[in-house]
Amino acid sequence: MPLKETGFSMQKTPYVPGAIEEKWQRVWKEQGVCRAQLDPSTPKYYVLEMFPYPSGNIHMGHVRNYCIGDVIARTKRMQGYNVLHPMGWDAFGLPAENAAIKHHVHPAAWTYSNISTMRSQLMRLGYSYDWDREIATCRPEYYRFEQEFFLKLYEKGLIYRKKAPQNWCPSCMTVLANEQVIEGKCWRCDSTVEQKELTQWFVKITAYADELLSDLPLLANGAWPDRVLAMQKNWIGKSIGCQVTFPLEKPVEGADSITVFTTRPDTLFGVTFMTLAPEHPLVPLLIKDSPNFEAINAFITKIRNMDRLDRQSETLEKEGIPIDVFVLHPITKKRIPIWLGNFVLASYGTGAVMGVPYGDQRDFEFAKKYDLPIIPIICPETGIPDPQTCAMSDPGTMINSGQFTGMPSEEGKEAVTRELERLGLGKKSVQYRLRDWNISRQRYWGAPIPMVYCESCGLVPEDPAHLPIVLPLDIQVRPDGKSPLPEEESFYATRCPRCGKPARRETDTMDTFMESSWYFARYTAAREEKAAFNPEALEYWLPVDQYIGGVEHAILHLLYARFFTKALRDLGIYPKTLREPFSHLLTQGMVLKEGSKMSKSKGNIVNPQEMIDRFGADTVRLFCLFAAPPERDFDWSDSGIEGASRFLARVWRLYTETQEHCLPLRALQATAADAKTKEATALRRKEHTTVQKVSEDMGDRFQFNTAIAAIMELVNDMYGVKDNLAAVGDTVFSSAMATVLTVLFPIAPHIAEELWEKTGHTSSLTKERWPEIDPQALVAEEKTIVLQVNGKVRQTITVPASSTEEELKTLALNNPTIVRHIQGKTVRKVIVVPDKLVNVVAG
RNA sequence: GCGAGAGUGGCGGAAUUGGUAGACGCACUGGACUUAGGAUCCAGCGGCUUACGCCUUGGGGGUUCAAAUCCCCCCUCUCGUACCA
């Protein structure tokens, strides 16, 4: 090599991450290597990380999330896929308004400035995003299509308006969807949520409850984490049962019966009372003539005034009051007293339950407390439990159940339902826990709802030609947090799209989860102006092949997006065959510090920017992937990141110390003929086994930590031969060097590119294909065999790869160590596991 | 209570189909180089034992020639969820 001649080029250049990273980020940008093109002739791969809220700065959680996505994107590109890997901003939402109030800036200015900061932070990490497809949901170019979808969903009856008690966050000054209330508190600010009766816009997600549930198996078998599937299933909460109508003994005006929902119609003959929620709509009618009215009313008031959390706590004692009204058992016609109970929820089922103390723990407790009769109605195989001490819910044979006595209770469910249907007093019924999605928000920084209130025409949808209904930006936010829109005449004053008379615009805005329910599809044609999507692009790119994000969206965003996908498909907007938006989901673990979540109040924040400045982007990327498998939480370790930095410096030094021997070869280019010595063959084999391991770990299993460990091993082996290169030969060594750089590229792309260039390559690693191993190169001429006696390892021996089972057996039985261990014993059996071990069973 | 997951050295973690437990890294110890070292290199690093060996994957049983891995019982932790009739 001519380099050898000049002392100057022999100088060892130090590893300066900052400069290298800036250089390659510029090159990649200029060459547009991350741009995705629609190309039906190439298999596509759509990898997506949950887009961030532009809160100000990226945090370690973001970094970890996007590192995982970027390695997958870069690896898939090298494996020949046409990869879509976009990024954008979930840009509407409350923090912008809060910041506006606090810092006297406009929410839009705050948001756009954060986006610009965070965008450059992401760019500084070298993520391979197709920035041409960047979106921000707060731009009219984006939300105009959401307004379009709103109108279409409204037209189809999937959006409606109703008055109902709503979750109200007093601190955020807005309502929340059920999914946004976590243990009775606001998901964002942790304030206790209150109930408020309001008229709101709802998305009829319940219309898809069944499909949202029945399609979950499409995501099973590891495609989505089991716990996310379980959470979705529980949230939807499907119960199959029966609605049973109990006629009132004395009908009142407007009602002659009360209907309950039960999953246990087989226990119908065990009913000894009925319990209504205090909020049940018939209660006022039923109690108005009661001699006990005062006491009953006091009870209702007491329950209603209880804090929601306290009322639903499991430790709350069951409490009730009889209302001196009776219903008749639908089959036996027996008189059954009606009670009000604090444990009955008005919002589930019919707000009324039949009381079967023998078959239900709650009813049992209630009956014991108020001394109500308990009738055994099911006999399990183990015999009838004592009805006074024990409530049971096991299946068995029905007893004391009229014509059903003797029937297995599982059959009885069906049989009793049929009988009730025959009598016109019941029907099969399915209940869901899932409620419709309240999407109205009484805040400013959100997408306007495209509806108009007209005095003559009533509620009128906007004319699609008027879209977008633009959120006015020349508005001051109010210091009290209330939306300024209802007072902003320039916004609300409009004309009725139907009759043209002056009318008032809806001033609530949409829940921001509306925007995130379809953003992934917008990326497929982000610059399309006339329509939200381009059918050809949707057809090609959807669904997202790999979605990556935090588990905190297990229900919220992931449920809404699944719903939206199904709804837009049925509107003819998405491809007919599209069933699920995200075919694979990876929920990455949190980045902790000192065992707990990073937070300002704890003061345990690790600032990514500081780490990048100190160690470089490649080191930060490497460490995030090496510290733990992606699903697991990991604790940030300052010495751990130094280890990662040390490894990259070691790779750099490996090059600088061997540079005069490094030829511009490609990964795995050395052939068997190039490996002329034992050392060379061994290194070449290590090179191939490394690629095999890294391909599996990175391409299939997403176990980046072990992939990196494998690369480290190869580098360690290269260190082992670097002072003896004559024995290995430059070709074999250079091939190994090329392999290290190629497989390291998705993880630490900048240093890999720089060294790739330094080793004399003229084209970028972005053009390189993932190396394919030669199975021949994996075959060793020798192998290590473990010798065991009675399952205990006694010796390991190295034998020629060609050794037969018989030869191994002989070797084992004659091995001195083995002979010593079987001395005085009889050899009963010898087990030979090819290529692995020989176990001598002796006793 | 129900649902999901996890328990392996001082620490993060590895062991993909039952086949050498502890790969790789961190921390630590000793040595080399050095004016110096928080740089780098070499060696060591689960416990007990002078050694031969013995013990060791939360605990206890079992299956097997062989178990971190499969089966049964129990314990602990994390997350989710809960009067859902």
Side-chain angles (χ1 to χ4, degrees), chain A residues 451-465:
Chain A
M451 296 295 292
V452 168
Y453 302 93
C454 168
E455 277 187 25
S456 329
C457 312
L459 200 55
V460 183
E462 256 301 353
D463 182 343

Side-chain angles (χ1 to χ4, degrees), chain A residues 339-625:
Chain A
W339 288 62
L340 304 184
N342 62 349
F343 63 94
V344 182
L345 304 176
S347 56
Y348 185 77
T350 61
V353 290
M354 60 187 209
V356 184
Y358 185 78
D360 183 279
Q361 185 62 33
R362 289 162 313 203
D363 294 346
F364 177 76
E365 285 171 30
F366 197 75
K368 291 299 282 182
K369 178 164 178 179
Y370 294 109
D371 206 20
L372 295 159
I374 300 170
I375 309 172
I377 26 78
I378 289 173
C379 176
E381 279 172 25
T382 50
I384 312 176
D386 177 2
Q388 286 310 308
T389 57
C390 153
M392 47 73 59
S393 52
D394 296 337
T397 307
M398 295 169 72
I399 53 173
N400 298 325
S401 297
Q403 65 264 50
F404 302 99
T405 297
M407 185 180 277
S409 58
E410 286 304 309
E411 268 175 51
K413 286 182 179 171
E414 188 76 9
V416 171
T417 305
R418 271 202 309 274
E419 174 64 8
L420 288 168
E421 275 169 356
R422 195 184 67 78
L423 295 168
L425 291 173
K427 61 172 192 233
K428 205 173 161 195
S429 165
V430 177
Q431 291 291 323
Y432 294 94
R433 211 185 82 112
L434 182 69
R435 296 279 91 106
D436 279 338
W437 172 19
N438 180 340
I439 54 157
S440 299
R441 295 293 177 270
Q442 291 71 47
R443 297 296 303 220
Y444 161 68
W445 191 233
I449 293 173
M451 296 295 292
V452 168
Y453 302 93
C454 168
E455 277 187 25
S456 329
C457 312
L459 200 55
V460 183
E462 256 301 353
D463 182 343
H466 294 168
L467 300 185
I469 305 304
V470 177
L471 182 73
L473 297 182
D474 53 348
I475 277 188
Q476 288 287 308
V477 294
R478 294 169 45 132
D480 62 4
K482 279 188 189 159
S483 171
L485 295 177
E487 267 89 59
E488 188 59 36
E489 198 181 343
S490 67
F491 176 70
Y492 69 69
T494 185
R495 294 198 166 268
C496 171
R498 198 167 290 159
C499 69
K501 286 185 199 150
R504 186 183 169 92
R505 206 177 270 304
E506 168 67 68
T507 52
D508 277 356
T509 52
M510 286 190 247
D511 183 2
T512 57
F513 280 96
M514 287 284 277
E515 284 99 67
S516 52
S517 291
W518 57 280
Y519 78 106
F520 54 91
R522 178 63 181 166
Y523 283 135
T524 66
R527 297 282 91 87
E528 181 74 57
E529 285 174 15
K530 293 191 185 70
F533 313 119
N534 161 343
E536 204 189 342
L538 284 179
E539 188 75 46
Y540 179 67
W541 290 112
L542 291 188
V544 172
D545 295 280
Q546 183 66 54
Y547 199 31
I548 307 152
V551 75
E552 64 273 15
H553 285 293
I555 315 188
L556 286 161
H557 160 58
L558 290 169
L559 186 70
Y560 296 143
R562 291 184 65 222
F563 158 76
F564 233 82
T565 301
K566 291 165 192 301
L568 291 199
R569 173 204 60 197
D570 291 345
L571 285 173
I573 296 170
Y574 282 166
K576 267 203 275 310
T577 51
L578 187 68
R579 294 179 70 177
E580 288 290 336
F582 316 117
S583 45
H584 295 265
L585 172 71
L586 191 154
T587 48
Q588 101 268 3
M590 285 188 295
V591 184
L592 310 174
K593 184 71 199 284
E594 279 125 32
S596 54
K597 203 173 168 176
M598 292 184 194
S599 72
K600 274 188 207 140
S601 55
K602 286 196 203 99
N604 61 346
I605 303 233
V606 178
N607 180 358
Q609 194 58 53
E610 236 169 73
M611 293 297 142
I612 298 165
D613 292 345
R614 208 158 124 210
F615 298 103
D618 281 337
T619 291
V620 172
R621 295 171 60 116
L622 178 75
F623 179 64
C624 279
L625 296 162

Side-chain angles (χ1 to χ4, degrees), chain A residues 696-816:
Chain A
E696 281 169 13
D697 288 354
M698 236 146 85
D700 310 330
R701 300 203 308 159
F702 298 152
Q703 297 284 311
F704 310 110
N705 55 331
T706 51
I708 292 164
I711 301 172
M712 286 172 167
E713 281 188 60
L714 176 56
V715 169
N716 288 348
D717 279 16
M718 291 172 74
Y719 260 80
V721 300
K722 82 173 163 54
D723 295 325
N724 191 19
L725 278 185
V728 175
D730 290 358
T731 305
V732 168
F733 187 82
S734 301
S735 172
M737 178 67 83
T739 297
V740 167
L741 300 180
T742 308
V743 297
L744 188 61
F745 177 64
I747 299 160
H750 313 88
I751 187 175
E753 274 280 38
E754 180 69 14
L755 291 179
W756 187 254
E757 186 185 63
K758 281 186 175 301
T759 48
H761 295 89
T762 47
S763 98
S764 155
L765 267 171
T766 57
K767 304 278 188 294
E768 232 20 56
R769 278 302 175 102
W770 191 256
E772 282 190 37
I773 51 164
D774 169 13
Q776 282 297 313
L778 300 174
V779 179
E781 61 270 32
E782 284 182 334
K783 57 195 177 189
T784 305
I785 299 293
V786 172
L787 304 183
Q788 297 183 329
V789 176
N790 292 335
K792 282 198 190 339
V793 179
R794 294 302 175 189
Q795 185 72 278
T796 59
I797 56 169
T798 305
V799 300
S802 56
S803 307
T804 63
E805 287 193 25
E806 267 316 302
E807 284 165 351
L808 290 177
K809 196 167 161 180
T810 312
L811 277 170
L813 290 171
N814 292 315
N815 183 281

